[in-house]
Amino acid sequence: AENYQNIVLSMKASNAQVMVQAYRLLVQHMKQAGMNYPLHLGVTEAGDGEDGRIKSAAGIGTLLEDGLGDTVRVSLTEDPEFEIPVAKMLVDRYTGRGKSHGIPMLKELDGKIILPYSPYEHERRKTRTVLNIGGHNPPRVIANYLGKEITPANLFAVGYQYSVPLDKWNITDLACDYVFVKDGSASFEIPGTLGIITNYSNWKTLSDRTRHYPLFNGEEYFSADKRSPEANFIVADSNIAQKEFIDKIKSDKTAVLILRATCDHAMAEIRRVFISLMENDCDVPVIIDRNLGNVGEDKFRLYAATDCGGLLLDGFGDGIILFEAAPGEKGVSPTVINSTAFGILQATRTRISKTEYISCPSCGRTLFDLQETTNKIRQRTSHLKGVKIGIMGCIVNGPGEMADADYGYVGTGPGKITLYKGKEVVKKNVPEADAVDALIDLIRQNGDWVEVKEAVH
C-alpha cells in the first residue's frame, strides 16, 4: 500500500516440514500477486550437534533444491561461529552446478504444472506392503556393508549389540532393519529383527535363505530364473526407471525398488521418478539410495539430509540406504552413516526413534547457559522416544518458537525458569537449580516418563 519494496521475507519454523510448506505457499501466493521478494531461509530452534545440522539441512536444503532462497541462517544451540560453516556448506553446493540432464518434462495444463501430489501438505505416497516395507510401516534403514563379511562385532555399529555371557542381542532404537552385503551371508544366527540383502548371483548359491533376499539390477530381474517368494530388491538408476521399466515391475507383489541417481540434481531426478510411479499407478515401495562420494563426515550429513530429507518431506520413500565410499576406500564410519539415516527420518517426522529437542541459539536475551542446560536435560531425557522438549533462553520468542513442543523449559528472569505443557504455562519462576528436576516431574505427571531399559532379543 505504501509502495515500500525493500523487504526480505522469512517463514521459519522449528518443524522442517512446516517450514518447507510455508515457504512454498508463500512463493505461490507471491507469484499470484505479482510479487518477487527475496527469501531468508532457516529452521529455527534446530538444536545442536548432529540433530541440529540434519534438521537444518532437511529444511534449508530442500528449498535450495527447489531453487528458493536468497539468504540463509543456520540456528544451532552452540557458539555462533559454528553456525557459519554449516550454512556455507549448504549454500556452496549450488555454486557452479550444471543443468540437469535426465529429468523429463512435467505435465502442464494451461501453462500450469500438474503434480499428482501436493507440495504444500504432507501425505505419504500410498504403497503396497512387502515384508515390513511400505504400506503403513515407517521408512526402513538399510546399512550398506558392500563386500564386508557380517560378524556380530560389525553389527554393533548399526544398533545390534551381542552379549556373549547372556547369548542375547541388545537392540537399540537406532538398529537398522536390513544389511546389504555384496557377496556372502551371516555365519551365525542373526537378530530376529534384521534381514540381509545380497546380490542375486550370491543369493542363488545360498543353501539357507532364511531372511536373506536378492538384489537384482534391472536386466537380472527380468531374465532371472529364480526369485524370492517374499521380497525381491531391484536397483535402478533414475534415468532408466521410466514408464517401460515401471510397467514391468508394478505387477510383482514382491518387488521393492531401490532408486538412485548419479547426477548433481539427484533429489530432483529421484522425485521425478516418484511422480512417474504415481502417474502410472505403480504402488511398488521404494528405497532411496544415495551414494554421496568421498565428501567427508560434515558434508555427508548435510547432503544426505538435503537429498533424502526433501523427498521424505514430500511423502516419498519407504526407506533409505546411504553410503559414502566405494569398496576398499576409507570413508564415513558405519556408525555415523547409520545415525545420519535415523536422524533424517527423525528430522522429517517420518520415523521417530529418539527424543527431539527444540532449543534456541544463544543471543543477548538468553538467561541461562543454553548449551550446559540442554546437555543436562538431554542426559536425563534422551530415552523418551517421541517426546519433544523445547529449551528456550528467554520469554520473548521462546513460547512461540517452541509451540510444536510437548514440554517447554523457558528462561523468564535471572535464575528463574517457567515450565510449559504444550502451549500452557504450568509452573512459573522455578529456581534454575531445581528446574530440570521439576521438568522431569512434569513429564512424569503427564504419563510420558518411562524408565530406562534395553530391548533384549
Side-chain angles (χ1 to χ4, degrees), residues 203-246:
W203 178 82
K204 285 197 303 182
T205 68
L206 299 179
S207 56
D208 182 2
R209 296 178 185 145
T210 305
R211 280 185 284 133
H212 285 67
Y213 310 101
L215 176 73
F216 301 86
N217 64 38
E219 294 306 314
E220 277 182 328
Y221 170 75
F222 299 129
S223 61
D225 57 357
K226 191 177 293 185
R227 295 178 187 169
S228 167
E230 298 174 284
N232 294 282
F233 293 83
I234 308 157
V235 64
D237 194 270
S238 59
N239 60 5
I240 66 167
Q242 303 303 328
K243 187 177 187 311
E244 182 181 359
F245 177 87
I246 291 169

Short mmCIF file of all heavy atoms in Angstrom, two decimals, residues 203-246:
data_model
loop_
_atom_site.label_atom_id
_atom_site.label_comp_id
_atom_site.label_asym_id
_atom_site.label_seq_id
_atom_site.Cartn_x
_atom_site.Cartn_y
_atom_site.Cartn_z
N TRP A 203 22.94 -64.82 -3.82
CA TRP A 203 21.73 -65.36 -3.18
C TRP A 203 21.37 -66.73 -3.76
O TRP A 203 20.95 -67.62 -3.02
CB TRP A 203 20.59 -64.37 -3.38
CG TRP A 203 19.26 -64.81 -2.83
CD1 TRP A 203 18.82 -64.72 -1.54
CD2 TRP A 203 18.18 -65.40 -3.57
NE1 TRP A 203 17.56 -65.21 -1.42
CE2 TRP A 203 17.13 -65.64 -2.66
CE3 TRP A 203 18.01 -65.74 -4.90
CZ2 TRP A 203 15.93 -66.21 -3.04
CZ3 TRP A 203 16.81 -66.31 -5.30
CH2 TRP A 203 15.78 -66.54 -4.39
N LYS A 204 21.54 -66.89 -5.06
CA LYS A 204 21.20 -68.18 -5.71
C LYS A 204 21.99 -69.34 -5.13
O LYS A 204 21.52 -70.47 -5.13
CB LYS A 204 21.48 -68.10 -7.22
CG LYS A 204 20.49 -67.31 -8.01
CD LYS A 204 20.59 -67.62 -9.49
CE LYS A 204 21.98 -67.39 -10.06
NZ LYS A 204 22.04 -67.65 -11.52
N THR A 205 23.21 -69.06 -4.64
CA THR A 205 24.09 -70.14 -4.17
C THR A 205 23.87 -70.51 -2.71
O THR A 205 24.44 -71.48 -2.23
CB THR A 205 25.56 -69.74 -4.35
OG1 THR A 205 25.87 -68.66 -3.45
CG2 THR A 205 25.83 -69.31 -5.79
N LEU A 206 23.05 -69.72 -1.98
CA LEU A 206 22.89 -69.95 -0.55
C LEU A 206 22.05 -71.19 -0.30
O LEU A 206 20.99 -71.38 -0.91
CB LEU A 206 22.22 -68.74 0.11
CG LEU A 206 22.96 -67.40 0.02
CD1 LEU A 206 22.14 -66.31 0.71
CD2 LEU A 206 24.34 -67.50 0.63
N SER A 207 22.50 -72.03 0.62
CA SER A 207 21.72 -73.21 0.99
C SER A 207 20.60 -72.86 1.95
O SER A 207 19.54 -73.48 1.95
CB SER A 207 22.64 -74.26 1.62
OG SER A 207 23.33 -73.73 2.73
N ASP A 208 20.83 -71.83 2.78
CA ASP A 208 19.80 -71.37 3.72
C ASP A 208 19.50 -69.91 3.41
O ASP A 208 20.35 -69.03 3.60
CB ASP A 208 20.29 -71.52 5.16
CG ASP A 208 19.22 -71.10 6.18
OD1 ASP A 208 18.10 -70.75 5.75
OD2 ASP A 208 19.52 -71.11 7.39
N ARG A 209 18.30 -69.64 2.92
CA ARG A 209 17.94 -68.27 2.53
C ARG A 209 17.00 -67.61 3.53
O ARG A 209 16.33 -66.62 3.22
CB ARG A 209 17.29 -68.29 1.15
CG ARG A 209 18.23 -68.77 0.05
CD ARG A 209 17.54 -68.82 -1.28
NE ARG A 209 18.41 -69.39 -2.29
CZ ARG A 209 17.99 -70.16 -3.29
NH1 ARG A 209 16.70 -70.45 -3.41
NH2 ARG A 209 18.86 -70.65 -4.16
N THR A 210 16.95 -68.12 4.74
CA THR A 210 16.08 -67.54 5.76
C THR A 210 16.47 -66.09 6.03
O THR A 210 17.62 -65.79 6.37
CB THR A 210 16.17 -68.33 7.08
OG1 THR A 210 15.88 -69.70 6.83
CG2 THR A 210 15.21 -67.78 8.12
N ARG A 211 15.53 -65.19 5.82
CA ARG A 211 15.73 -63.75 5.99
C ARG A 211 16.89 -63.21 5.15
O ARG A 211 17.53 -62.24 5.50
CB ARG A 211 15.89 -63.38 7.46
CG ARG A 211 14.52 -63.31 8.16
CD ARG A 211 14.61 -62.84 9.59
NE ARG A 211 15.09 -63.89 10.46
CZ ARG A 211 16.04 -63.73 11.37
NH1 ARG A 211 16.63 -62.57 11.51
NH2 ARG A 211 16.41 -64.73 12.14
N HIS A 212 17.16 -63.87 4.03
CA HIS A 212 18.11 -63.39 3.03
C HIS A 212 17.33 -63.13 1.74
O HIS A 212 16.54 -63.98 1.30
CB HIS A 212 19.20 -64.44 2.75
CG HIS A 212 20.21 -64.56 3.84
ND1 HIS A 212 19.89 -65.03 5.09
CD2 HIS A 212 21.55 -64.27 3.86
CE1 HIS A 212 21.00 -65.03 5.84
NE2 HIS A 212 22.01 -64.58 5.11
N TYR A 213 17.56 -61.96 1.13
CA TYR A 213 16.76 -61.54 -0.02
C TYR A 213 17.68 -61.07 -1.15
O TYR A 213 18.72 -60.46 -0.90
CB TYR A 213 15.80 -60.42 0.39
CG TYR A 213 15.02 -60.76 1.63
CD1 TYR A 213 15.38 -60.23 2.87
CD2 TYR A 213 13.95 -61.65 1.58
CE1 TYR A 213 14.70 -60.56 4.03
CE2 TYR A 213 13.25 -61.99 2.73
CZ TYR A 213 13.63 -61.44 3.96
OH TYR A 213 12.96 -61.79 5.10
N PRO A 214 17.29 -61.33 -2.41
CA PRO A 214 18.17 -60.99 -3.54
C PRO A 214 18.05 -59.54 -3.97
O PRO A 214 16.98 -58.92 -3.90
CB PRO A 214 17.66 -61.92 -4.65
CG PRO A 214 16.21 -62.10 -4.34
CD PRO A 214 16.10 -62.09 -2.83
N LEU A 215 19.19 -59.00 -4.43
CA LEU A 215 19.23 -57.68 -5.05
C LEU A 215 19.55 -57.86 -6.53
O LEU A 215 20.58 -58.43 -6.89
CB LEU A 215 20.30 -56.81 -4.39
CG LEU A 215 20.48 -55.43 -5.03
CD1 LEU A 215 19.31 -54.53 -4.66
CD2 LEU A 215 21.79 -54.79 -4.59
N PHE A 216 18.66 -57.40 -7.40
CA PHE A 216 18.82 -57.50 -8.85
C PHE A 216 19.15 -56.13 -9.43
O PHE A 216 18.65 -55.11 -8.95
CB PHE A 216 17.51 -57.96 -9.51
CG PHE A 216 17.00 -59.28 -9.06
CD1 PHE A 216 16.18 -59.39 -7.94
CD2 PHE A 216 17.28 -60.44 -9.78
CE1 PHE A 216 15.67 -60.61 -7.54
CE2 PHE A 216 16.77 -61.67 -9.39
CZ PHE A 216 15.97 -61.76 -8.26
N ASN A 217 19.96 -56.11 -10.49
CA ASN A 217 19.89 -54.94 -11.34
C ASN A 217 18.75 -55.18 -12.32
O ASN A 217 18.18 -56.28 -12.38
CB ASN A 217 21.22 -54.66 -12.05
CG ASN A 217 21.63 -55.75 -13.02
OD1 ASN A 217 20.78 -56.32 -13.72
ND2 ASN A 217 22.92 -56.05 -13.09
N GLY A 218 18.38 -54.18 -13.09
CA GLY A 218 17.20 -54.31 -13.94
C GLY A 218 17.21 -55.52 -14.85
O GLY A 218 16.26 -56.29 -14.91
N GLU A 219 18.32 -55.73 -15.55
CA GLU A 219 18.40 -56.81 -16.51
C GLU A 219 18.33 -58.18 -15.82
O GLU A 219 17.68 -59.11 -16.31
CB GLU A 219 19.70 -56.69 -17.32
CG GLU A 219 19.75 -55.47 -18.21
CD GLU A 219 18.54 -55.39 -19.13
OE1 GLU A 219 18.18 -56.42 -19.73
OE2 GLU A 219 17.95 -54.29 -19.24
N GLU A 220 19.01 -58.30 -14.69
CA GLU A 220 18.97 -59.57 -13.94
C GLU A 220 17.54 -59.92 -13.55
O GLU A 220 17.10 -61.06 -13.64
CB GLU A 220 19.82 -59.46 -12.67
CG GLU A 220 21.29 -59.68 -12.85
CD GLU A 220 22.01 -59.58 -11.53
OE1 GLU A 220 21.57 -58.82 -10.65
OE2 GLU A 220 23.03 -60.27 -11.37
N TYR A 221 16.83 -58.91 -13.09
CA TYR A 221 15.47 -59.14 -12.61
C TYR A 221 14.57 -59.68 -13.72
O TYR A 221 13.80 -60.62 -13.53
CB TYR A 221 14.90 -57.84 -12.05
CG TYR A 221 13.42 -57.90 -11.74
CD1 TYR A 221 12.96 -58.57 -10.61
CD2 TYR A 221 12.50 -57.29 -12.58
CE1 TYR A 221 11.61 -58.62 -10.33
CE2 TYR A 221 11.14 -57.33 -12.30
CZ TYR A 221 10.70 -58.00 -11.17
OH TYR A 221 9.36 -58.05 -10.91
N PHE A 222 14.69 -59.10 -14.91
CA PHE A 222 13.80 -59.51 -15.99
C PHE A 222 14.15 -60.88 -16.55
O PHE A 222 13.29 -61.58 -17.07
CB PHE A 222 13.83 -58.45 -17.11
CG PHE A 222 13.35 -57.10 -16.66
CD1 PHE A 222 14.10 -55.97 -16.90
CD2 PHE A 222 12.15 -56.97 -15.98
CE1 PHE A 222 13.68 -54.72 -16.48
CE2 PHE A 222 11.71 -55.74 -15.55
CZ PHE A 222 12.47 -54.61 -15.80
N SER A 223 15.41 -61.28 -16.44
CA SER A 223 15.83 -62.56 -17.01
C SER A 223 16.03 -63.66 -15.96
O SER A 223 16.37 -64.79 -16.31
CB SER A 223 17.14 -62.38 -17.79
OG SER A 223 18.18 -61.93 -16.92
N ALA A 224 15.83 -63.34 -14.68
CA ALA A 224 16.14 -64.29 -13.60
C ALA A 224 15.25 -65.53 -13.68
O ALA A 224 14.05 -65.45 -13.96
CB ALA A 224 15.96 -63.63 -12.24
N ASP A 225 15.88 -66.70 -13.45
CA ASP A 225 15.11 -67.95 -13.44
C ASP A 225 14.65 -68.32 -12.03
O ASP A 225 13.95 -69.30 -11.84
CB ASP A 225 15.95 -69.09 -14.03
CG ASP A 225 17.27 -69.27 -13.28
OD1 ASP A 225 17.55 -68.48 -12.35
OD2 ASP A 225 18.02 -70.20 -13.64
N LYS A 226 15.06 -67.52 -11.05
CA LYS A 226 14.70 -67.81 -9.66
C LYS A 226 14.54 -66.48 -8.92
O LYS A 226 15.36 -65.58 -9.06
CB LYS A 226 15.81 -68.64 -9.01
CG LYS A 226 15.44 -69.23 -7.66
CD LYS A 226 16.57 -70.10 -7.13
CE LYS A 226 16.75 -71.34 -8.00
NZ LYS A 226 17.77 -72.25 -7.43
N ARG A 227 13.46 -66.37 -8.15
CA ARG A 227 13.23 -65.16 -7.35
C ARG A 227 12.75 -65.56 -5.96
O ARG A 227 12.26 -66.66 -5.76
CB ARG A 227 12.19 -64.25 -8.01
CG ARG A 227 12.61 -63.66 -9.34
CD ARG A 227 11.50 -62.80 -9.92
NE ARG A 227 11.81 -62.35 -11.28
CZ ARG A 227 10.94 -61.77 -12.08
NH1 ARG A 227 9.70 -61.57 -11.67
NH2 ARG A 227 11.31 -61.39 -13.30
N SER A 228 12.88 -64.64 -5.05
CA SER A 228 12.40 -64.89 -3.69
C SER A 228 10.87 -64.82 -3.67
O SER A 228 10.29 -63.93 -4.29
CB SER A 228 12.96 -63.86 -2.72
OG SER A 228 12.28 -63.91 -1.48
N PRO A 229 10.22 -65.75 -2.96
CA PRO A 229 8.76 -65.66 -2.85
C PRO A 229 8.32 -64.56 -1.90
O PRO A 229 7.13 -64.24 -1.83
CB PRO A 229 8.38 -67.04 -2.30
CG PRO A 229 9.59 -67.49 -1.55
CD PRO A 229 10.77 -66.94 -2.28
N GLU A 230 9.29 -63.95 -1.16
CA GLU A 230 8.94 -62.95 -0.15
C GLU A 230 9.25 -61.53 -0.59
O GLU A 230 8.40 -60.63 -0.50
CB GLU A 230 9.69 -63.25 1.15
CG GLU A 230 9.35 -64.59 1.77
CD GLU A 230 10.25 -64.87 2.95
OE1 GLU A 230 11.42 -65.23 2.76
OE2 GLU A 230 9.76 -64.71 4.09
N ALA A 231 10.49 -61.28 -1.03
CA ALA A 231 10.89 -59.91 -1.39
C ALA A 231 12.03 -59.96 -2.38
O ALA A 231 13.01 -60.70 -2.19
CB ALA A 231 11.29 -59.13 -0.16
N ASN A 232 11.92 -59.15 -3.43
CA ASN A 232 12.97 -59.02 -4.44
C ASN A 232 13.31 -57.54 -4.60
O ASN A 232 12.44 -56.73 -4.97
CB ASN A 232 12.50 -59.60 -5.77
CG ASN A 232 12.28 -61.10 -5.69
OD1 ASN A 232 13.23 -61.89 -5.72
ND2 ASN A 232 11.02 -61.51 -5.58
N PHE A 233 14.55 -57.19 -4.30
CA PHE A 233 15.00 -55.81 -4.37
C PHE A 233 15.61 -55.55 -5.75
O PHE A 233 16.47 -56.31 -6.19
CB PHE A 233 16.02 -55.53 -3.26
CG PHE A 233 15.43 -55.59 -1.88
CD1 PHE A 233 15.27 -56.81 -1.22
CD2 PHE A 233 15.02 -54.43 -1.23
CE1 PHE A 233 14.71 -56.87 0.04
CE2 PHE A 233 14.46 -54.47 0.03
CZ PHE A 233 14.31 -55.70 0.68
N ILE A 234 15.15 -54.48 -6.39
CA ILE A 234 15.59 -54.17 -7.75
C ILE A 234 16.22 -52.78 -7.73
O ILE A 234 15.54 -51.79 -7.42
CB ILE A 234 14.39 -54.18 -8.73
CG1 ILE A 234 13.62 -55.50 -8.61
CG2 ILE A 234 14.86 -53.94 -10.15
CD1 ILE A 234 12.19 -55.40 -9.08
N VAL A 235 17.49 -52.70 -8.05
CA VAL A 235 18.17 -51.41 -8.05
C VAL A 235 18.15 -50.82 -9.45
O VAL A 235 18.38 -51.53 -10.44
CB VAL A 235 19.62 -51.54 -7.52
CG1 VAL A 235 20.46 -52.41 -8.43
CG2 VAL A 235 20.27 -50.18 -7.33
N ALA A 236 17.79 -49.53 -9.54
CA ALA A 236 17.70 -48.87 -10.84
C ALA A 236 18.10 -47.42 -10.71
O ALA A 236 17.78 -46.75 -9.73
CB ALA A 236 16.29 -48.98 -11.40
N ASP A 237 18.81 -46.93 -11.71
CA ASP A 237 19.14 -45.52 -11.78
C ASP A 237 17.92 -44.75 -12.29
O ASP A 237 17.11 -45.28 -13.05
CB ASP A 237 20.33 -45.30 -12.71
CG ASP A 237 20.92 -43.91 -12.56
OD1 ASP A 237 20.48 -43.00 -13.27
OD2 ASP A 237 21.83 -43.75 -11.72
N SER A 238 17.83 -43.50 -11.90
CA SER A 238 16.66 -42.69 -12.26
C SER A 238 16.46 -42.57 -13.76
O SER A 238 15.33 -42.44 -14.23
CB SER A 238 16.78 -41.29 -11.64
OG SER A 238 17.96 -40.65 -12.10
N ASN A 239 17.53 -42.62 -14.54
CA ASN A 239 17.38 -42.41 -15.99
C ASN A 239 16.82 -43.63 -16.72
O ASN A 239 16.43 -43.54 -17.87
CB ASN A 239 18.71 -41.98 -16.62
CG ASN A 239 19.82 -42.99 -16.42
OD1 ASN A 239 19.59 -44.07 -15.89
ND2 ASN A 239 21.02 -42.63 -16.82
N ILE A 240 16.79 -44.81 -16.05
CA ILE A 240 16.16 -45.97 -16.69
C ILE A 240 14.82 -46.32 -16.05
O ILE A 240 14.05 -47.12 -16.59
CB ILE A 240 17.07 -47.21 -16.68
CG1 ILE A 240 17.31 -47.72 -15.25
CG2 ILE A 240 18.38 -46.94 -17.39
CD1 ILE A 240 17.93 -49.08 -15.20
N ALA A 241 14.53 -45.73 -14.89
CA ALA A 241 13.28 -46.05 -14.19
C ALA A 241 12.15 -45.21 -14.77
O ALA A 241 11.53 -44.40 -14.08
CB ALA A 241 13.44 -45.80 -12.70
N GLN A 242 11.87 -45.42 -16.04
CA GLN A 242 10.82 -44.69 -16.72
C GLN A 242 9.64 -45.63 -17.01
O GLN A 242 9.60 -46.74 -16.51
CB GLN A 242 11.37 -44.06 -18.00
CG GLN A 242 12.57 -43.13 -17.77
CD GLN A 242 12.27 -42.00 -16.79
OE1 GLN A 242 11.14 -41.51 -16.71
NE2 GLN A 242 13.27 -41.58 -16.03
N LYS A 243 8.69 -45.20 -17.85
CA LYS A 243 7.41 -45.90 -17.97
C LYS A 243 7.55 -47.37 -18.32
O LYS A 243 6.90 -48.23 -17.72
CB LYS A 243 6.53 -45.20 -19.01
CG LYS A 243 5.11 -45.77 -19.05
CD LYS A 243 4.24 -45.03 -20.04
CE LYS A 243 2.80 -45.50 -19.93
NZ LYS A 243 2.60 -46.94 -19.95
N GLU A 244 8.38 -47.71 -19.29
CA GLU A 244 8.51 -49.11 -19.69
C GLU A 244 9.02 -49.97 -18.54
O GLU A 244 8.50 -51.07 -18.29
CB GLU A 244 9.48 -49.22 -20.88
CG GLU A 244 9.63 -50.64 -21.40
CD GLU A 244 10.61 -50.73 -22.55
OE1 GLU A 244 11.16 -49.68 -22.98
OE2 GLU A 244 10.83 -51.86 -23.04
N PHE A 245 10.00 -49.47 -17.81
CA PHE A 245 10.53 -50.18 -16.66
C PHE A 245 9.46 -50.31 -15.57
O PHE A 245 9.26 -51.38 -14.99
CB PHE A 245 11.75 -49.42 -16.12
CG PHE A 245 12.35 -50.02 -14.88
CD1 PHE A 245 13.30 -51.01 -14.96
CD2 PHE A 245 11.97 -49.56 -13.63
CE1 PHE A 245 13.87 -51.56 -13.82
CE2 PHE A 245 12.52 -50.10 -12.47
CZ PHE A 245 13.47 -51.10 -12.57
N ILE A 246 8.75 -49.21 -15.31
CA ILE A 246 7.71 -49.22 -14.28
C ILE A 246 6.62 -50.23 -14.61
O ILE A 246 6.15 -50.97 -13.74
CB ILE A 246 7.13 -47.80 -14.11
CG1 ILE A 246 8.19 -46.87 -13.50
CG2 ILE A 246 5.87 -47.81 -13.26
CD1 ILE A 246 7.82 -45.40 -13.54
#
